[in-house]
Amino acid sequence: MVGRAAPALSGWLGLPFSTWLVVLAYFTLTLGVALSIPFPSQIDELPHLSVIRSQFEHFQLFPEWSSYRQLEVDDLTRWSANPNYINHPSLYYALLAPLMAITASPLPFRIVNVLLSTGALTLIVLSVRRHFVEQAVPITPFAIITACFPKAALVGGMVNNDNLSALAGALLLAGMVGLPGAGWWIMAALAIAGWTKLTAFIALGAVAGTWLGLGWLRGDRRLTDRMILLAAFGILIGLLPYVVTWLRTGHLIWVNADIWRVPLDRRAHYDLAGFAGFFLRALVLKWPAAEGIYPFPLALLTLCLPLVLAAIGLRRPALRSIGLAYAVGLALLFGAHFLFGWRSFQALGDLTIMQVRYYNVLWPGIALAASAALAPLWTRQRWTAWVVLAVGLLPTMLGGMVIAAI
């Protein structure tokens, strides 16, 4: 069922016209966000742009985050007295900083993010199309499901380092499905993830480590194989900013406690079980692009559907190794996310850590297994497959707009 796609592939770069329509629709949505949503959005845009400005004025490979401030909203060339709370490594900000020499307007920075996000989707689809034949993974449903991560198109039109994380996720999948120079793709993915965001590094490091480890257990790889060595080198590069932060602060990441600390008289009171219930419910309600748009049961359905499909798709032998690797990555990221949230709640009373967008880097693997589960329906009962895909569209920006119009 799996192998190199047939030489005679329809469409540009081997993708059918319908798949390019999906990519175009995604690009249009992200561009629409960039052009229409007032700056700054509520998803950390001003703090992110402020760090870009800081890196432009004074480049720091390992920033002293506690000294950073936020820009004035009405004059993005002036600094306010408001402290910044961004604590991510410097790569994303340093890459975008040269654009500040041209303009301080947020729109060009948003456009760069549109290109990063759309480029990640395009690379993912091209990689999967090259490796899997249509009968194993129907490419258009795969492109639709991949584009349907609810927060992807929304954040894709904003200034946010999640978009560079998404590109790192695309690079990892490209290496895992065997694009030429696969080891270098994996190394780049892990290095970029580490220098972009800790959640992305944890998730993608777990995926790559599990996938390579399964290959070693099967006897397909030796510990001295070039791909394993390149992946290990990528992890070492990605670890560097957290090692420096650990040596400076005793923690993997710096946290601006003054911003996130809730006064004692305003704190919620949860034991571990109560916090777990709050945590899970919040993730479900935050799943749609427009958070809280659907009642809990419907939001839960739209979240569980792709996960159930992915679990079914794991039964395909050709997908088992990749699918299991992403399952381990999902479990490890969820565990780290919950643990950090619980400790933050205990120490600060903070209940803002429940962010679904952290899981975007793992979505391509889930989409791959889910679309494989849909393959029989796509071949024999296409209308049923379209119904399933329509449910998957409900939590997206497009689905929300359709529901609002109705």
Side-chain angles (χ1 to χ4, degrees):
M1 297 295 288
V2 178
R4 300 301 179 195
L9 297 175
S10 60
W12 186 50
L13 296 178
L15 294 180
F17 179 69
S18 57
T19 305
W20 282 117
L21 280 180
V22 175
V23 175
L24 178 61
Y26 181 87
F27 171 76
T28 303
L29 282 172
T30 56
L31 184 61
V33 169
L35 295 174
S36 64
I37 292 184
F39 180 89
S41 72
Q42 295 182 352
I43 311 182
D44 303 330
E45 262 201 303
L46 182 61
H48 281 300
L49 189 67
S50 298
V51 178
I52 294 171
R53 183 81 192 183
S54 296
Q55 289 285 25
F56 170 69
E57 293 183 357
H58 179 56
F59 170 71
Q60 289 183 309
L61 187 62
F62 303 104
E64 289 284 355
W65 294 115
S66 60
S67 67
Y68 277 13
R69 295 293 180 264
Q70 295 187 43
L71 294 166
E72 295 281 2
V73 176
D74 55 356
D75 185 352
L76 295 174
T77 63
R78 296 177 56 197
W79 294 103
S80 73
N82 299 324
N84 209 324
Y85 53 82
I86 294 297
N87 56 4
H88 304 298
S90 59
L91 179 61
Y92 172 79
Y93 311 101
L95 287 176
L96 270 67
L99 192 54
M100 279 287 176
I102 302 173
T103 178
S105 168
L107 182 57
F109 295 90
R110 283 183 164 188
I111 299 300
V112 171
N113 281 268
V114 170
L115 297 176
L116 282 173
S117 183
T118 308
L121 173 63
T122 305
L123 176 58
I124 289 166
V125 175
L126 286 170
S127 302
V128 167
R129 174 59 166 167
R130 184 183 184 277
H131 185 72
F132 291 93
V133 296
E134 185 74 13
Q135 290 75 19
V137 178
I139 195 62
T140 297
F142 171 70
I144 292 172
I145 297 173
T146 304
C148 276
F149 187 82
K151 296 292 192 294
L154 182 65
V155 176
M158 298 176 181
V159 183
N160 197 297
N161 68 344
D162 283 349
N163 296 308
L164 186 57
S165 296
L167 182 60
L171 293 171
L172 180 65
L173 185 63
M176 290 172 66
V177 300
L179 284 194
W184 295 100
W185 292 91
I186 293 172
M187 185 194 76
L190 296 173
I192 291 171
W195 277 85
T196 302
K197 196 165 190 172
L198 180 58
T199 52
F201 187 52
I202 291 171
L204 298 185
V207 171
T210 302
W211 182 69
L212 291 169
L214 289 172
W216 174 70
L217 290 174
R218 290 193 307 267
D220 297 337
R221 300 188 187 283
R222 295 177 299 172
L223 292 178
T224 55
D225 279 1
R226 181 181 182 184
M227 184 176 290
I228 291 181
L229 294 176
L230 286 172
F233 188 54
I235 287 177
L236 290 175
I237 295 173
L239 272 174
L240 188 56
Y242 308 104
V243 171
V244 171
T245 302
W246 179 273
L247 293 174
R248 283 178 174 176
T249 68
H251 302 279
L252 288 178
I253 56 173
W254 168 80
V255 175
N256 192 331
D258 292 336
I259 287 182
W260 302 116
R261 183 178 288 110
V262 178
L264 290 174
D265 59 341
R266 298 181 187 175
R267 293 187 184 184
H269 298 283
Y270 291 120
D271 58 11
L272 181 59
F275 176 81
F278 178 86
F279 185 91
L280 293 171
R281 182 176 178 83
L283 284 181
V284 171
L285 292 175
K286 286 173 173 283
W287 175 244
E291 297 177 2
I293 189 175
Y294 297 128
F296 182 83
L298 182 55
L300 182 63
L301 171 65
T302 62
L303 172 58
C304 288
L305 177 62
L307 298 179
V308 171
L309 287 174
I312 295 172
L314 284 181
R315 295 186 300 177
R316 296 284 188 95
L319 291 168
R320 196 161 294 153
S321 180
I322 291 179
L324 285 175
Y326 275 93
V328 170
L330 179 62
L332 189 59
L333 178 59
F334 180 82
H337 187 190
F338 179 82
L339 181 61
F340 183 84
W342 171 241
R343 288 183 173 177
S344 182
F345 171 70
Q346 285 183 305
L348 305 173
D350 177 39
L351 287 172
T352 64
I353 194 64
M354 286 66 73
Q355 301 298 333
V356 176
R357 54 193 171 86
Y358 300 159
Y359 297 87
N360 187 28
V361 295
L362 295 171
W363 188 250
I366 296 170
L368 182 63
S371 57
L374 277 182
L377 287 178
W378 189 252
T379 302
R380 303 181 192 123
Q381 291 181 297
R382 188 159 296 192
W383 65 272
T384 306
W386 277 116
V387 170
V388 174
L389 291 171
V391 175
L393 278 166
L394 283 176
T396 66
M397 285 180 57
L398 183 60
M401 288 188 290
V402 171
I403 293 298
I406 294 175

